[in-house]
């Protein structure tokens, strides 16, 4: 989920923690636990700082080890040890318990969007991603805000937040069922499909659709159960030639391939070099596919520059690929 949603989830847990006698009996303990749940709800996303380094490391590692099973123990122990020095009235065991719940909830809810996490690492480095909840979901965020507001106005914590979690559980079930219904509709429309990706969008009734068959890729949208296929691409294997082999040495392209499940490719020879472009077909927006990896090679097929990330204009791409002046 996005940062804002994780923040309100942390506040909701901190509010629910006030039913704990230790927390309810001390303002210092209450502040300490609230601090712990907010930090615990954010800490797995600390790897976002990798974006300051480069997109390749960010794509390869975001929601990786920081969302893994060992971190379910490491993050709570680390946070609780520090906060106990500041808020001893909260007691270490209570800080540890509520931080563990906050961290666990963060990792758990992140597996339901299209990006997913490596939640079962170190047993497997597979990305777990169900795709039926958008990274930012208005209903999830808004329902937390409403529940927190009701609690601040004097409503008891237990009925307020238990009701919230029951409603959200039903919401998750409804989104899952809707996704399954759309998948069945796509299977009926494209019977020879080998892989179907149905991912939610910020709009409640709209879903992204990407389908792989033996010979083609299909890209479309679903509105409720109505499927619209916008484009059909030939599924061409990536050639094993000298140009591609040279381009694959680039870390940006390697990161893209490790992340993208459905993509096409092209090689373009221009006056200033050879461009190898890989385009992710899952993120069609207004007729454009903004998530790409591009490698620019010279006449000797040495890498001049490269980029992977979101590009919405040719001008921006050229700026990203421009060599750095020294």
């Amino acid at each position: 989920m996005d940062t804002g949603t994780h923040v309100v989830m942390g506040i909701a847990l901190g509010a629910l923690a006030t039913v704990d006698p230790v927390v309810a009996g001390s303002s210092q303990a209450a502040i300490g636990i609230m601090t712990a749940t907010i930090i615990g709800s954010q800490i797995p996303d600390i790897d976002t700082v990798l974006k300051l380094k480069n997109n390749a490391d960010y794509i390869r590692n975001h929601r990786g080890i920081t969302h893994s099973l060992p971190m379910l123990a490491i993050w709570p122990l680390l946070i609780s040890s520090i906060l106990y020095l500041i808020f001893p009235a909260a007691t270490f065991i209570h800080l540890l318990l509520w931080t563990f719940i906050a961290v666990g909830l963060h990792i758990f809810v992140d597996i339901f969007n299209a990006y997913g996490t490596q939640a079962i690492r170190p047993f497997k480095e597979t990305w777990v991603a169900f795709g039926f909840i958008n990274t930012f979901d208005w209903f999830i965020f808004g329902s937390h805000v409403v529940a927190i507001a009701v609690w601040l106005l004097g409503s008891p914590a237990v009925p307020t937040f238990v009701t919230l979690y029951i409603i959200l559980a039903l919401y998750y079930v409804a989104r899952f069922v809707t996704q399954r219904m759309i998948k069945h509709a796509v299977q009926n429309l494209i019977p020879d499909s080998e892989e179907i990706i149905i991912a939610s969008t910020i709009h409640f009734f709209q879903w992204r659709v990407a389908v792989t068959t033996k010979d083609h890729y299909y890209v479309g949208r679903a509105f409720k159960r109505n499927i619209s296929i916008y484009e059909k691409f030939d599924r061409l294997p990536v050639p094993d030639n000298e140009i591609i082999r040279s381009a694959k040495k680039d870390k940006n392209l390697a990161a893209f391939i490790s992340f993208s499940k459905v993509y096409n490719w092209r090689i373009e020879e221009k006056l200033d070099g050879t461009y190898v472009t890989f385009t992710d077909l899952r993120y069609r927006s207004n007729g454009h596919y903004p998530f790409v990896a591009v490698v620019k090679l010279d006449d000797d097929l040495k890498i001049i520059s490269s980029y992977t990330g979101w590009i919405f204009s040719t001008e921006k791409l050229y700026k990203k690929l421009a060599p750095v002046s020294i």
Side-chain angles (χ1 to χ4, degrees):
M1 306 301 292
D2 69 295
T3 299
T5 301
H6 284 306
V7 167
V8 295
M9 285 182 170
I11 294 172
L13 281 177
L16 184 60
T18 58
V19 302
D20 186 330
V22 171
V23 179
S26 167
S27 60
Q28 185 192 81
I31 294 171
I33 295 295
M34 180 66 77
T35 304
T37 56
I38 292 175
I39 295 175
S41 292
Q42 295 294 324
I43 197 68
D45 281 343
I46 196 171
D47 56 8
T48 301
V49 299
L50 290 171
K51 207 165 189 177
L52 299 175
K53 183 181 180 183
N54 57 63
N55 280 352
D57 287 327
Y58 175 75
I59 290 169
R60 275 190 175 277
N61 297 291
H62 181 50
R63 297 187 181 178
I65 193 170
T66 61
H67 289 63
S68 63
L69 287 174
M71 301 312 290
L72 273 172
I74 294 172
W75 288 134
L77 283 169
L78 178 63
I79 295 168
S80 300
S81 298
I82 295 172
L83 290 182
Y84 180 61
L85 299 176
I86 306 170
F87 305 102
T91 78
F92 180 78
I93 192 65
H94 285 80
L95 286 166
L96 186 65
L97 171 64
W98 287 102
T99 308
F100 172 79
I101 294 172
V103 172
L105 184 62
H106 178 123
I107 294 172
F108 178 69
V109 299
D110 274 358
I111 70 175
F112 294 104
N113 59 49
Y115 196 108
T117 74
Q118 289 182 314
I120 56 176
R121 188 173 174 174
F123 299 106
K124 285 186 178 181
E125 294 193 4
T126 305
W127 290 86
V128 183
F130 296 120
F132 58 82
I133 298 294
N134 197 49
T135 303
F136 177 75
D137 187 294
W138 286 102
F139 184 81
I140 295 173
F141 178 80
S143 60
H144 273 85
V145 170
V146 170
I148 292 167
V150 170
W151 170 68
L152 290 173
L153 290 172
S155 177
V158 172
T160 300
F161 292 104
V162 168
T163 300
L164 169 67
Y165 296 138
I166 290 173
I167 291 172
L168 288 178
L170 294 174
Y171 177 73
Y172 272 68
V173 171
R175 296 295 287 173
F176 170 75
V177 170
T178 302
Q179 185 193 50
R180 298 297 296 179
M181 291 170 62
I182 294 171
K183 185 173 183 178
H184 287 310
V186 172
Q187 287 173 330
N188 291 332
L189 183 65
I190 308 174
D192 60 337
S193 57
E194 294 180 354
E195 183 179 13
I196 299 172
I197 298 174
I198 310 294
S200 61
T201 69
I202 198 169
H203 304 290
F204 184 82
F205 292 111
Q206 292 186 24
W207 300 72
R208 293 191 301 269
V209 177
V211 183
T212 301
T213 68
K214 180 181 178 182
D215 299 313
H216 299 97
Y217 294 124
Y218 297 84
V219 179
R221 286 265 174 151
F223 181 77
K224 297 182 179 180
R225 292 187 63 182
N226 299 315
I227 314 299
S228 297
I229 300 299
Y230 295 147
E231 293 184 81
K232 176 182 177 181
F233 300 93
D234 291 332
R235 185 181 178 185
L236 302 175
V238 179
D240 184 20
N241 59 33
E242 194 173 355
I243 294 175
I244 293 297
R245 286 196 295 271
S246 297
K248 282 187 173 181
K249 295 176 183 177
D250 179 75
K251 66 178 182 180
N252 280 308
L253 180 55
F256 175 93
I257 293 173
S258 72
F259 170 74
S260 181
K261 296 180 179 179
V262 182
Y263 56 81
N264 62 13
W265 58 272
R266 67 180 184 272
I267 299 173
E268 299 173 288
E269 294 186 4
K270 299 184 179 182
L271 293 176
D272 61 337
T274 299
Y275 290 76
V276 178
T277 303
F278 280 61
T279 304
D280 196 310
L281 301 178
R282 295 174 297 171
Y283 301 107
R284 187 180 189 274
S285 175
N286 298 321
H288 182 63
Y289 296 88
F291 189 69
V292 300
V294 184
V295 181
K296 182 180 178 182
L297 306 167
D298 65 14
D299 292 339
D300 296 321
L301 300 184
K302 293 182 180 179
I303 297 170
I304 300 174
S305 58
S306 65
Y307 177 78
T308 186
W310 300 89
I311 292 292
F312 292 91
S313 70
T314 304
E315 292 76 13
K316 181 181 177 182
L317 177 59
Y318 285 145
K319 287 181 181 179
K320 293 290 185 181
L321 293 174
V324 178
S325 300
I326 300 177

